[in-house]
Amino acid sequence: MSEHIVDVGKRHIKEINEEIQEAAGQGKEIRVVNTLSRHNLGVGLPDGTKIAFEGSVGYYCGGLNVGATIDIERNAGWACGEGMSKGHITVGGYCGMSCGAAMMGGTIHVKGDAGPRCGVAMKGGNIIVEGKIGYQSGFMAHSGRIIALGGAGASCADALWQGEVWVVGDVESLGVDVNVVEPTAEEVAEVDAILDPLGLKDNSRNWRKMVSGQRLWYFESRDASAWLMI
Amino acid sequence: MCGIAGRIVTGGGQLGRNLVELMEAQEHRGADSTGFAVYGPMRDTGYVLRGMGFDKRKIDSDLVDFEHILRDHASDFISEPTVTIDNNAHYCFRMEIKDPKDIDAWVQDADTLTDRIEVQSCGRSLEIIKDIGGAAAVADKHGVRDMVGTHGLGHARLATESSVLPNASHPFWARPFSDVAIVHNGQITDYFTWREKLERKGYRFLTGNDSELIAVWVSDQMKSGLTMQQALTNSISSIDGVFTYMIANAEGIGFAKDRFAMKPLVVMDRNGDLAMATEEQAVRRVFEDEGDVINYDGPSMTALWSVGNRRFAA
């Protein structure tokens, strides 16, 4: 497969994304250089695209991904992979606020820490963070899994719905309406199966699995104790 | 949405050019107005005033009345004020004045003219330049790129709850304390509660902009003897809303961030040579090569950086 190099610099983002889409359409592997933390790079990439960003990217990189394999060498800004439905995004460094917001499928693998509200309102897929997930991560996650191997910030899994937050290490505090449950052996095996291809499987881990307490889920406004939760 | 920025230049230098770069990169966050707080060479006596008048047809009478108030406080112009005008109704001015006998009392009296002419900064080193339009337009009009200094702030404003005039733009001066300026990205949700409390204490508000509240609130904290760091820390539990604001004085720059971790701040620190901004792509205009970036993404955060390149509190 031939390689196409895209130089970002100060060019207009629309022009850059058009060049990326054209190269993807021709089945070329794409390497993006001189990224300068610019926003909106590689949005809406088609299934089968292979693209690597050298350096750091800004907001919304890999958003609306429908099957591309995206490798970001260093940091990603806000909402990396927002609304993606398929594919794989790797962030080599830190991933900013709202990583994987409202994603529906696919995998985001963050090698560093993730910022606040990681996986906010996610509806499917997996987010694996080798470091720590930030404040209020998993907020209102409808489905999918967030797996953090380096602990979690305050208000973890706040107002979670059907999503799950798995954490190894310290959790600064739990959010509202969260239950910490003991995962079954089958569930741990499922998580290990996600981690194994990334070289992150470790049988000695002490997991904390967080799920919804379902009281906000079935919020009853006439119940005074429900208000006290929030 | 707004964009904020800060810059500390080791040893001083082409500060203005860098501040403009930082704000040009964030113009999409708001181009209703742009402002800069530039900390230039420190003077031993006298102040530089920056401000605006609302009607350029009345420049002469405004300045005469302003001068009378200065003289009432044992001050005067050191040199002839310079005035900048364009197609807009307002005008902007720069003045150098002798020290008033009591700066607090002088500011109170000068405020009686604020329906016509408004002082927007007063500093031994600080000059606040703010005007309507994007970064390049404001920089071109006021020669910001050529300004030298040690540190400064920038702001790109998306006007929401108050007017699009230079007086409702950022940075805000923490009147009457010379050389203190703030820029803010966010919303203060208990604005009217705090404003009423502070007005009862005798503070005057010149705009309906919630960011002005932070400047006045900080003044009140400083009047009660608190340090900048203490004021920053107190603001997180005292002021309600989603905010990240930066405050600067002659010694350095600090920031505070709300309890909900909503408004970002990104910092690149090259051995005390610092660029700070809402967005990482902005600091990359100053430091283009890949380097370590500090994301102040968490809730309830403060930091303070000194011009001497020491981080003197956190």
Side-chain angles (χ1 to χ4, degrees), chain A residues 4 26 67 75-77 85 104 133 138 144 153 164 171 175 181 186-187 212 216 220 227:
Chain A
H4 182 84
Q26 293 165 355
N75 302 332
S85 53
M104 294 168 280
I133 50 175
E164 296 175 2
V171 176
V181 297
E186 289 77 20
E187 289 171 330
S212 172
L216 284 179
E220 172 50 69
W227 286 102

Side-chain angles (χ1 to χ4, degrees), chain A residues 98-220:
Chain A
S98 304
C99 165
M103 67 187 280
M104 294 168 280
T107 300
I108 299 177
H109 172 202
V110 180
K111 294 187 176 178
D113 294 336
R117 298 180 189 84
C118 174
V120 56
M122 66 189 286
K123 296 167 173 37
N126 296 303
I127 301 175
I128 300 107
V129 179
E130 294 190 36
K132 182 180 176 180
I133 50 175
Y135 172 75
Q136 219 168 48
S137 283
F139 181 65
M140 292 190 75
H142 293 222
S143 186
R145 271 197 197 93
I146 300 167
I147 302 166
L149 306 181
S155 197
C156 184
D158 191 279
L160 198 64
W161 285 36
Q162 284 177 296
E164 296 175 2
V165 181
W166 290 58
V167 180
V168 178
D170 293 339
V171 176
E172 286 179 25
S173 66
L174 293 175
V176 170
D177 198 27
V178 181
N179 287 346
V180 180
V181 297
E182 189 68 29
T184 65
E186 289 77 20
E187 289 171 330
V188 171
E190 271 183 46
V191 168
D192 280 343
I194 296 166
L195 296 176
D196 198 17
L198 305 174
L200 298 172
K201 186 179 169 187
D202 180 350
N203 292 328
S204 65
R205 286 200 177 102
N206 206 359
W207 291 107
R208 302 175 78 179
K209 178 189 169 191
M210 286 158 233
V211 296
S212 172
Q214 300 199 2
R215 290 190 64 202
L216 284 179
W217 195 344
Y218 300 111
F219 189 76
E220 172 50 69

Side-chain angles (χ1 to χ4, degrees), chain A residues 116 134-135 154 172, chain B residues 236 257-262 297-302:
Chain A
Y135 172 75
E172 286 179 25
Chain B
I236 294 169
K257 186 169 175 171
D258 68 83
R259 290 163 278 178
F260 308 106
M262 291 296 286
D297 268 355
S300 305
M301 303 184 94
T302 66

Side-chain angles (χ1 to χ4, degrees), chain B residues 226-268:
Chain B
L226 296 188
T227 63
M228 193 197 280
Q229 177 62 59
Q230 288 168 325
L232 287 166
T233 304
N234 283 359
S235 68
I236 294 169
S237 55
S238 299
I239 298 174
D240 196 26
V242 289
F243 57 82
T244 292
Y245 72 89
M246 301 174 80
I247 182 166
N249 63 12
E251 284 79 44
I253 297 175
F255 92 96
K257 186 169 175 171
D258 68 83
R259 290 163 278 178
F260 308 106
M262 291 296 286
K263 302 291 179 183
L265 187 74
V266 175
V267 177
M268 287 186 84

Side-chain angles (χ1 to χ4, degrees), chain B:
Chain B
M1 196 161 79
C2 288
I4 60 177
R7 176 84 173 102
I8 293 177
V9 180
T10 309
Q14 291 296 321
L15 174 69
R17 182 164 46 83
N18 282 172
L19 286 174
V20 175
E21 286 170 333
L22 286 162
M23 297 326 303
E24 275 185 315
Q26 299 188 103
E27 196 166 300
H28 56 277
R29 299 187 72 90
D32 288 324
S33 63
T34 308
F36 305 93
V38 176
Y39 288 81
M42 180 71 81
R43 59 194 64 224
D44 295 327
T45 62
Y47 294 100
V48 178
L49 309 184
R50 288 272 191 167
M52 66 167 287
F54 290 89
D55 187 346
K56 65 186 175 191
R57 294 169 302 180
K58 297 176 180 168
I59 291 173
D60 292 341
S61 58
D62 287 350
L63 293 182
V64 166
D65 291 345
F66 193 81
E67 190 176 17
H68 284 154
I69 291 176
L70 278 175
R71 287 179 176 166
D72 288 345
H73 290 267
S75 175
D76 205 343
F77 297 132
I78 293 172
S79 56
E80 197 65 25
T82 55
V83 174
T84 308
I85 57 170
D86 58 13
N87 293 332
N88 293 300
H90 70 270
Y91 65 94
C92 300
F93 64 79
R94 181 183 188 276
M95 304 169 177
E96 294 180 44
I97 64 164
K98 295 175 187 167
D99 287 5
K101 194 174 175 187
D102 178 340
I103 194 163
D104 198 346
W106 165 69
V107 169
Q108 292 235 9
D109 279 355
D111 278 355
T112 60
L113 297 179
T114 51
D115 58 335
R116 294 160 51 197
I117 183 169
E118 184 180 310
V119 180
Q120 293 167 340
S121 72
C122 168
R124 299 270 193 230
S125 125
L126 167 68
E127 295 188 41
I128 290 178
I129 302 98
K130 53 185 184 179
D131 211 332
I132 54 178
V138 174
D140 289 345
K141 181 176 172 183
H142 297 282
V144 179
R145 289 186 186 85
D146 296 329
M147 296 181 78
V148 294
T150 50
H151 61 297
L153 303 174
H155 188 272
R157 180 169 184 238
L158 181 76
T160 50
E161 82 300 334
S162 58
S163 70
V164 183
L165 271 174
N167 67 321
S169 308
H170 305 223
F172 284 99
W173 169 36
R175 302 153 59 251
F177 291 94
S178 69
D179 296 290
V180 181
I182 73 107
V183 288
H184 164 229
N185 173 25
Q187 294 83 38
I188 307 302
T189 47
D190 57 354
Y191 167 77
F192 288 105
T193 309
W194 266 115
R195 179 169 174 158
E196 195 180 318
K197 281 183 199 170
L198 291 163
E199 282 179 333
R200 265 192 260 122
K201 288 173 112 175
Y203 291 96
R204 203 175 290 176
F205 284 75
L206 305 183
T207 75
N209 188 318
D210 61 347
S211 307
E212 185 188 12
L213 175 86
I214 297 173
V216 179
W217 188 89
V218 166
S219 293
D220 184 52
Q221 298 283 301
M222 290 169 68
K223 270 192 179 169
S224 66
L226 296 188
T227 63
M228 193 197 280
Q229 177 62 59
Q230 288 168 325
L232 287 166
T233 304
N234 283 359
S235 68
I236 294 169
S237 55
S238 299
I239 298 174
D240 196 26
V242 289
F243 57 82
T244 292
Y245 72 89
M246 301 174 80
I247 182 166
N249 63 12
E251 284 79 44
I253 297 175
F255 92 96
K257 186 169 175 171
D258 68 83
R259 290 163 278 178
F260 308 106
M262 291 296 286
K263 302 291 179 183
L265 187 74
V266 175
V267 177
M268 287 186 84
D269 182 347
R270 298 286 170 86
N271 300 316
D273 205 30
L274 286 146
M276 317 147 186
T278 302
E279 297 184 7
E280 183 174 325
Q281 65 162 349
V283 298
R284 286 294 166 80
R285 293 285 181 98
V286 178
F287 300 124
E288 286 199 0
D289 51 322
E290 288 287 339
D292 290 335
V293 171
I294 307 161
N295 281 277
Y296 287 93
D297 268 355
S300 305
M301 303 184 94
T302 66
L304 210 50
W305 297 273
S306 83
V307 178
N309 304 325
R310 289 174 296 107
R311 189 170 162 160
F312 57 87

